[in-house]
Amino acid sequence: MRRLDMSLRFAPLIRVSTEQQANKGESLRTQTSQIKQYVKSLDGEIPEYCWAYSGQEHATPENERKKLNQLLEDSARNKFDAVIVCDASRWSWDNLKSKEGLNILRENGIRFFVGTMEFDLVLPEHNFILGMSAEVGELQARQQSLKSITNRIERARRGIPTGGKLPYGRTYDKTTNTW
């Protein structure tokens, strides 16, 4: 049921993929600022409890998304009228989860905004655009993952540390490339 006599209550989905981005990066702050501007221009409001869907979590396939899952559960509880993201990639890089989530929002009468643009979740064209965005994001994420694995294998073959902590009791000199 759509609220016609009141401003829309928006649930912002603001996320970054890594803890480092959350702790040291600017993206969460930038996205928050943008979302506030978008919601203001749409004459909407963001209830305080809706900020709970923001923070660090991956959007790539096979990663659990607790914040997104909570948002989807809450969409059936009349806590908000619309979901808003800065850009479609902040919604999902996993087309299967994207479709499942958008179906839940549609079934619960929740509207979906990317910036100030509303995507009507009933229109096939709008679902296609969101689906293509998720597919492109998924392709990019999988390609980056494959490149990272390939590079780590090559570093290991050369005897160079590949990431994480060094083995106990070992040190590595980056200048001389020796252990």
Side-chain angles (χ1 to χ4, degrees):
M1 171 176 21
R2 292 196 178 178
R3 297 163 21 125
L4 301 175
D5 57 335
M6 304 168 118
S7 64
L8 284 177
R9 297 170 299 160
F10 283 91
L13 185 61
I14 299 170
R15 64 161 201 82
V16 292
S17 297
T18 68
E19 287 182 29
Q20 183 178 8
Q21 289 171 323
N23 296 332
K24 297 181 181 178
E26 286 295 317
S27 187
L28 288 177
R29 200 171 5 265
T30 301
Q31 289 178 64
T32 299
S33 175
Q34 288 175 319
I35 291 287
K36 286 178 178 179
Q37 283 301 117
Y38 298 148
V39 170
K40 183 179 178 182
S41 72
L42 293 165
D43 293 323
E45 63 181 352
I46 302 172
E48 193 60 39
Y49 54 82
C50 285
W51 290 106
Y53 313 119
S54 302
Q56 182 269 320
E57 74 179 359
H58 287 274
T60 54
E62 289 96 41
N63 279 293
E64 183 179 20
R65 296 205 46 204
K66 291 180 182 178
K67 292 179 185 305
L68 176 62
N69 292 341
Q70 187 63 57
L71 179 140
L72 294 173
E73 285 179 29
D74 289 348
S75 73
R77 296 184 180 127
N78 196 32
K79 289 188 167 197
F80 51 85
D81 309 303
V83 170
I84 188 167
V85 294
C86 282
D87 61 75
S89 72
R90 298 299 171 184
W91 168 250
S92 183
W93 283 7
D94 180 340
N95 199 28
L96 178 61
K97 290 216 188 228
S98 173
K99 283 184 180 199
E100 290 171 351
L102 294 172
N103 284 337
I104 290 169
L105 295 179
R106 181 177 53 250
E107 289 167 5
N108 292 321
I110 302 297
R111 297 164 69 179
F112 188 82
F113 289 77
V114 176
T116 57
M117 181 177 174
E118 182 171 7
F119 282 77
D120 187 332
L121 300 180
V122 174
L123 294 177
E125 298 86 359
H126 288 200
N127 284 287
F128 173 77
I129 292 166
L130 293 169
M132 288 304 298
S133 175
E135 284 291 345
V136 169
E138 186 173 333
L139 171 65
Q140 181 182 5
R142 289 184 186 272
Q143 284 177 325
Q144 288 303 108
S145 179
L146 181 60
K147 288 176 187 177
S148 176
I149 290 168
T150 303
N151 288 333
R152 287 174 185 245
I153 290 169
E154 288 304 314
R155 288 175 63 94
R157 284 186 179 143
R158 294 189 350 243
I160 300 173
T162 61
K165 292 183 178 182
L166 295 177
Y168 180 77
R170 303 281 310 260
T171 59
Y172 184 79
D173 185 335
K174 292 180 183 179
T175 312
T176 61
N177 287 330
T178 57
W179 288 94

